[in-house]
Amino acid sequence: MKHPNLILFFIALGLFGVFTVEFSVIGLLPMVVERYGVSVAQAGMLVSVFALFAAIGGPLMVLWLAKYSRKRVLIGSLMIFALCCVLSAWAPDYQTLMVLRALPGLMLTVFFSLAFAAAVALYPPQKAAFATSMALMGESVGLVFGLPLILFFAHTFSYETAFLFCAAVCVIAAAGLLRLPDSKQNEQGKTADALVILKKPLLWLGLLATVAVLSSMFGVYSYATEYLLGLGMNANTVSLLMMVFGIGGLAGNVIAGRALAKNIKLTAVAYPFVLALAYAALYAFASPNIAVMALLCAVWGAAHISGLVVSQFWVSSSAEEAPEFATSLFVSAANVGVTVGAASGGWFISNFGIQSSLWAGWGFALLAVVFFAVSLVLKKRELVSG
C-alpha cells in the first residue's frame, strides 16, 4: 500500500475534527446562552446530548452500517459532521441546535470505531499498537487543543467561524481519506456475526476495565481547573499549565503505543499504577510554584491520556473477530467512565474538599487493576484449556 503514513495522518486529522466538534460547544456556552436566551444548565445539555447519543446509539449505528465499505462510511461520517457544523453556525433556535448535536453524536462512535480499524489495517500486525497510538494522537490533540482553538476563532472572528473551522477540518480529512483502500469492514456484514463477541467474558472484563480507567482519569481531570486555581494560581497560568498537560499527553500516547507493542499484558496491568503514582505526585508536591506544577502537569498529562490507548487496545484485542463493533462498545464504556468519574470526583469534593478528588482517582485505578488481573487469569486458563 502506498503512503500509509499519509493516510494515517488524515485518519488522525478526522479524529481531531470530530472530537473538536464534540467539545467545541463547551467553549461556546456563554455565547449560546446569550444567543438563544437559555440558561447555563440548558446550554450544558448540548454536551450531554452529544455524549448520550454516542454512548447509546453508537454501537447500533455501527451494526447498521457494517454492510457498507469502511472508506465510504468514514468519509460519509465526516461530511455529516461538516454539514451539521455549518448548519449549527446559523441554527435559528436552541431546539434546532440540539438536534444538530444529536446526529453527530450518533456518528462519533461510527467514525471512531472504523477509524481505528482502518488505521490498523494499513500496517502489518506487529505495528498494530503503533497505528492505534498514532490514530489516537488525533483524538488527544482534539481533546487538549480543540477547545483553545475554538475559543480563539470565536473571540478573534465570530461565533459562526468557530463552527466553520470544525467543518473545514472534517472536509479536509474526508478529502484525504479518498486515498484509503475501498475495503469491506473485515467482512463483518452480518449483525449476528458481530453480536457473537458479546458472549466473550474477556470483552466484558475489558469494558469494565475501560469504565474503571476512564472513571479514574476523569474523577480528577474533570476538576483540573478548579484544582489548579485552588493552589492560588490565576486563570492565565492555569491555561498555560493545561497546555503543558496536553503536550505531556501527546508524549504519553507515543510511550504507551511502544509499550503495548512490546508487552500488552504488562502495560495494561502497570498502567493504573502509573496513573495512581501521578496522582500521588500531585498530592505530595503540588504547590503555587509554576515550575513544579509544569513538571507535575506534564507527568499527569502523559499518564492521563495514555489511558485511552491502553484501554482501547485492550478491548480490541479481546474481540478481534469484530473490531469495529468492539471499538463502538469501547466508546460507550468510555462515556460511562467519564460520567461516573466526574460524578464521583464531584461527590468527594462536595464532602471533603477539592484535593479529595484524587481519592476517586485512586479508587478507580485500583478497580482497574482488579479487572485487568482477572482478564489475565482468564486468558491464561483459556490458553491452557486450548
Side-chain angles (χ1 to χ4, degrees):
M1 184 185 301
K2 292 183 178 180
H3 311 299
N5 290 343
L6 181 60
I7 298 174
L8 183 60
F9 167 79
F10 284 110
I11 290 174
L13 182 64
L15 286 165
F16 165 76
V18 299
F19 278 94
T20 300
V21 171
E22 178 175 7
F23 294 104
S24 62
V25 74
I26 296 175
L28 300 175
L29 285 187
M31 294 182 178
V32 170
V33 170
E34 182 179 356
R35 193 181 185 93
Y36 298 108
V38 297
S39 67
V40 174
Q42 286 176 304
M45 285 295 294
L46 295 171
V47 181
S48 301
V49 164
F50 192 109
L52 181 65
F53 273 77
I56 298 176
L60 298 178
M61 291 292 292
V62 170
L63 291 176
W64 179 49
L65 295 171
K67 59 185 177 181
Y68 300 101
S69 79
R70 188 180 292 153
K71 175 180 178 178
R72 293 181 181 182
V73 176
L74 284 170
I75 293 175
S77 299
L78 286 170
M79 296 310 294
I80 289 173
F81 270 94
L83 177 61
C84 288
C85 283
V86 172
L87 295 176
S88 295
W90 290 283
D93 51 50
Y94 170 78
Q95 290 74 21
T96 302
L97 185 59
M98 181 71 77
V99 173
L100 291 170
R101 293 289 294 172
L103 182 55
L106 285 175
M107 300 309 297
L108 169 72
T109 305
V110 174
F111 186 84
F112 188 97
S113 303
L114 300 192
F116 281 99
V120 170
L122 292 173
Y123 297 90
Q126 61 269 28
K127 283 197 169 185
F130 163 78
T132 299
S133 63
M134 290 301 100
L136 197 58
M137 189 78 77
E139 178 195 355
S140 301
V141 173
L143 290 170
V144 175
F145 299 112
L147 183 56
L149 281 172
I150 290 301
L151 287 172
F152 169 78
F153 280 103
H155 290 292
T156 304
F157 301 102
S158 67
Y159 170 89
E160 292 83 3
T161 306
F163 283 106
L164 295 179
F165 165 74
C166 293
V169 172
C170 291
V171 170
I172 293 171
L177 290 183
L178 290 172
R179 292 173 171 265
L180 187 70
D182 195 2
S183 59
K184 290 289 183 180
Q185 300 176 32
N186 290 341
E187 303 300 326
Q188 190 181 314
K190 296 182 179 179
T191 300
D193 294 337
L195 294 178
V196 168
I197 66 172
L198 295 177
K199 298 179 181 180
K200 301 186 67 173
L202 279 174
L203 172 65
W204 288 105
L205 283 168
L207 294 174
L208 288 172
T210 297
V211 172
V213 167
L214 271 291
S215 295
S216 178
M217 290 162 56
F218 283 87
V220 181
Y221 178 70
S222 297
Y223 307 96
T225 301
E226 290 82 355
Y227 183 87
L228 294 172
L229 289 172
L231 296 174
M233 299 190 171
N234 59 44
N236 290 334
T237 302
V238 170
S239 297
L240 178 62
L241 288 174
M242 293 313 296
M243 293 291 285
V244 173
F245 177 97
I247 294 170
L250 298 182
N253 248 4
V254 176
I255 295 170
R258 291 176 178 175
L260 286 166
K262 291 181 179 179
N263 193 323
I264 181 176
K265 296 178 181 179
L266 178 61
T267 302
V269 174
Y271 170 73
F273 290 103
V274 172
L275 186 59
L277 286 173
Y279 293 156
L282 282 172
Y283 184 85
F285 302 111
S287 73
N289 186 294
I290 297 177
V292 170
M293 289 311 300
L295 178 60
L296 289 175
C297 284
V299 172
W300 178 17
H304 175 89
I305 294 182
S306 58
L308 292 168
V309 66
V310 171
S311 52
Q312 193 273 334
F313 198 77
W314 185 265
V315 170
S316 296
S317 68
S318 300
E320 296 176 347
E321 306 91 329
E324 291 92 348
F325 183 51
T327 304
S328 72
L329 295 174
F330 162 76
V331 176
S332 293
N335 276 283
V336 172
V338 171
T339 303
V340 171
S344 300
W347 182 87
F348 272 95
I349 291 170
S350 298
N351 289 277
F352 306 105
I354 186 65
Q355 197 175 36
S356 66
S357 64
L358 295 171
W359 287 97
W362 282 321
F364 285 113
L366 177 61
L367 192 59
V369 171
V370 172
F371 288 131
F372 281 131
V374 173
S375 295
L376 289 177
V377 172
L378 187 58
K379 281 187 176 184
K380 187 175 181 179
R381 287 181 179 177
E382 288 185 353
L383 289 173
V384 172
S385 62

